[in-house]
Amino acid sequence: MNFSSKLLEDAVAEFAKLPGVGQKTALRLVLHLLNRDKEEVHKFSTAISKLRNEIQFCQTCHNISDQKVCEICSSHKRDHGLICVVEDTRDVMAIENTNQYNGVYHVLGGLISPMDGIGPADLQVDSLVERLKDGTVKEVIFALSATMEGDTTIFYLNKRVKQFAINISTIARGIAFGGELEYVDEITLGRSIVTRVPYENSLS
Amino acid sequence: MNFSSKLLEDAVAEFAKLPGVGQKTALRLVLHLLNRDKEEVHKFSTAISKLRNEIQFCQTCHNISDQKVCEICSSHKRDHGLICVVEDTRDVMAIENTNQYNGVYHVLGGLISPMDGIGPADLQVDSLVERLKDGTVKEVIFALSATMEGDTTIFYLNKRVKQFAINISTIARGIAFGGELEYVDEITLGRSIVTRVPYENSLS
């Protein structure tokens, strides 16, 4: 593209580095910002630089936080005997939105993926094992994606965690609510028959 | 959404104000920025605030520029007797990319749209009329979108411009190159028959 201004070109190039944003979208976003008030654009750019410079990660669960220990980990209303292990912050938000979970979390910061060069040492695994040592934790729930990387990570974590006398569980896999049987893939459908549950249990 | 951090929430809210960016996309972009180096995020936020604070608009054609007069308007290689009237910077870039045009531009900054409350006074119309007064301009080309707003704007501009003894033209409308006849809408196809051109002319 032929830019009439170096400033414009720089801003478009920076936007185009974002995932899923190409040159044309970047230009559209930048021209939108140019039409906004100076104060609003200032708010936008400071929100980003402030986030990157001041953000903290909870010392206990490694979730994104404004304090050294996040609100969930410091809450007395939560069940500290139950740890839900997730990949990242988005998963914590998704589970919190269900209003079905009252335990605490442990954010791994990724999944084991040899293809991307991510091994257990790159994740918050040691600190998870550390949290289990004092015996207050009764159950660990693995809530990871149902992918190759998720399964590999659960396999590895299980080996590290099973030395402690605690329950280890994973979130249920099966047909989504509202899902029509004919559109479900055969692996999910096959596994959901093998791991069928008593009808009485499925009602609760 | 339940955010674990106010900084995170602010950054997501700012991103979600961009056109076509919802809460989920905003969160994905913000988490991507969090994973990048501090210097890179700093570059991103300064590129944006610098753009908004230092950008100028060419005094002659009102295109985005780093100087008071843009490169095109100050170039001696361009034909200053030919003005192409466009809606915004993107159109200038699109026409420049064709390498078919050697004149100068006039950026209106929008189109007349009573529905959106945009009238002629909100556009750079008076300055266009001003540019035509000294007699150096021989032709004005209207290169506006083939929409209701574009046509309304051309109609109004034509009334203002025809007092000068200059040629007034619009870019050709018709079937796009590579377009298959059966998929062309009937208005375009009908008009392209009415405004047919001699075969000899269509070859150049």
Side-chain angles (χ1 to χ4, degrees):
Chain A
M1 278 199 261
N2 288 316
F3 289 95
S4 58
S5 148
K6 185 85 181 69
L7 293 168
L8 182 68
E9 189 172 355
D10 287 346
V12 169
E14 288 298 328
F15 259 103
K17 285 181 192 165
L18 295 173
V21 177
Q23 286 265 320
K24 283 212 169 182
T25 308
L27 179 61
R28 194 164 54 88
L29 297 176
V30 168
L31 291 179
H32 169 85
L33 285 176
L34 261 186
N35 282 330
R36 290 237 300 258
D37 286 342
K38 278 193 183 182
E39 298 96 81
E40 285 187 62
V41 177
H42 181 71
K43 261 177 71 183
F44 179 83
S45 69
T46 48
I48 292 158
S49 58
K50 229 178 135 179
L51 171 83
R52 187 62 191 86
N53 291 322
E54 296 178 17
I55 203 83
Q56 299 187 56
F57 293 90
C58 172
Q59 288 177 334
T60 310
C61 74
H62 309 291
N63 192 12
I64 291 171
S65 170
D66 289 341
Q67 299 107 37
K68 287 194 170 179
V69 176
C70 76
E71 274 181 40
I72 293 174
C73 286
S74 56
S75 167
H76 295 294
K77 291 180 181 166
R78 312 289 297 217
D79 181 357
H80 291 262
L82 189 59
I83 293 183
C84 182
V85 178
V86 295
E87 183 184 343
D88 67 15
T89 299
R90 269 174 290 187
D91 302 326
V92 174
M93 289 169 64
I95 294 172
E96 284 297 289
N97 277 336
T98 67
N99 289 322
Q100 295 286 321
Y101 181 69
N102 195 37
V104 292
Y105 293 92
H106 190 86
V107 179
L108 292 174
L111 295 174
I112 294 173
S113 174
M115 292 285 280
D116 302 315
I118 302 171
D122 301 312
L123 310 178
Q124 300 291 352
V125 176
D126 291 339
S127 61
L128 172 65
V129 175
E130 207 59 43
R131 289 176 76 179
L132 305 177
K133 280 184 179 164
D134 68 358
T136 54
V137 177
K138 303 290 174 242
E139 183 175 355
V140 168
I141 306 169
F142 295 128
L144 303 180
S145 297
T147 59
M148 182 85 100
E149 289 78 19
D151 287 347
T152 308
T153 309
I154 292 178
F155 184 80
Y156 175 81
L157 290 177
N158 184 49
K159 279 208 302 188
R160 293 284 302 269
V161 167
K162 68 180 176 191
Q163 55 175 307
F164 305 102
I166 53 178
N167 292 321
I168 299 170
S169 57
T170 70
I171 52 171
R173 292 178 185 180
I175 295 161
F177 282 86
E180 290 189 52
L181 226 62
E182 59 177 320
Y183 299 118
V184 176
D185 68 286
E186 54 264 48
I187 297 176
T188 303
L189 189 56
R191 293 292 306 165
S192 76
I193 292 170
V194 175
T195 61
R196 62 192 177 277
V197 290
Y199 179 59
E200 297 284 318
N201 294 5
S202 75
L203 297 176
S204 66
Chain B
M1 279 200 260
N2 289 316
F3 290 95
S4 58
S5 149
K6 184 85 180 70
L7 292 169
L8 182 68
E9 189 172 356
D10 288 347
V12 170
E14 288 297 329
F15 259 103
K17 286 181 193 165
L18 295 174
V21 177
Q23 285 267 319
K24 284 212 168 181
T25 308
L27 179 60
R28 193 164 54 86
L29 297 177
V30 168
L31 290 179
H32 168 85
L33 285 176
L34 262 185
N35 283 330
R36 289 237 299 255
D37 286 342
K38 279 194 184 181
E39 299 96 80
E40 285 186 60
V41 176
H42 181 70
K43 259 177 72 183
F44 179 83
S45 70
T46 46
I48 292 157
S49 58
K50 231 179 134 179
L51 172 82
R52 187 63 191 84
N53 292 322
E54 297 179 17
I55 205 83
Q56 300 187 55
F57 293 90
C58 171
Q59 290 177 332
T60 311
C61 73
H62 310 290
N63 192 14
I64 291 170
S65 170
D66 289 340
Q67 299 106 37
K68 288 193 170 179
V69 176
C70 76
E71 274 182 39
I72 293 173
C73 285
S74 56
S75 166
H76 295 293
K77 291 180 182 167
R78 312 288 298 215
D79 181 357
H80 291 261
L82 189 59
I83 293 182
C84 182
V85 178
V86 295
E87 182 183 344
D88 65 17
T89 299
R90 268 174 291 188
D91 302 326
V92 174
M93 289 169 64
I95 294 173
E96 284 297 291
N97 277 335
T98 66
N99 288 322
Q100 294 287 321
Y101 181 69
N102 195 38
V104 293
Y105 294 92
H106 190 87
V107 179
L108 292 174
L111 295 175
I112 295 172
S113 174
M115 294 284 281
D116 302 314
I118 302 172
D122 300 311
L123 309 179
Q124 300 291 352
V125 176
D126 291 337
S127 61
L128 172 65
V129 174
E130 207 59 43
R131 287 176 78 179
L132 303 177
K133 280 185 179 165
D134 67 358
T136 54
V137 177
K138 303 291 174 243
E139 183 175 354
V140 169
I141 306 170
F142 295 128
L144 303 180
S145 297
T147 58
M148 183 86 99
E149 289 78 19
D151 286 347
T152 309
T153 309
I154 293 179
F155 185 79
Y156 174 81
L157 289 177
N158 184 49
K159 279 209 300 189
R160 294 283 303 268
V161 167
K162 70 181 175 190
Q163 55 175 307
F164 304 101
I166 52 177
N167 292 320
I168 299 170
S169 57
T170 71
I171 52 171
R173 292 179 183 179
I175 295 160
F177 281 85
E180 289 189 52
L181 226 62
E182 58 178 320
Y183 300 119
V184 177
D185 67 287
E186 53 265 48
I187 296 176
T188 302
L189 190 55
R191 292 293 306 164
S192 76
I193 292 171
V194 173
T195 62
R196 62 192 176 278
V197 290
Y199 179 60
E200 296 285 316
N201 293 5
S202 74
L203 297 176
S204 65

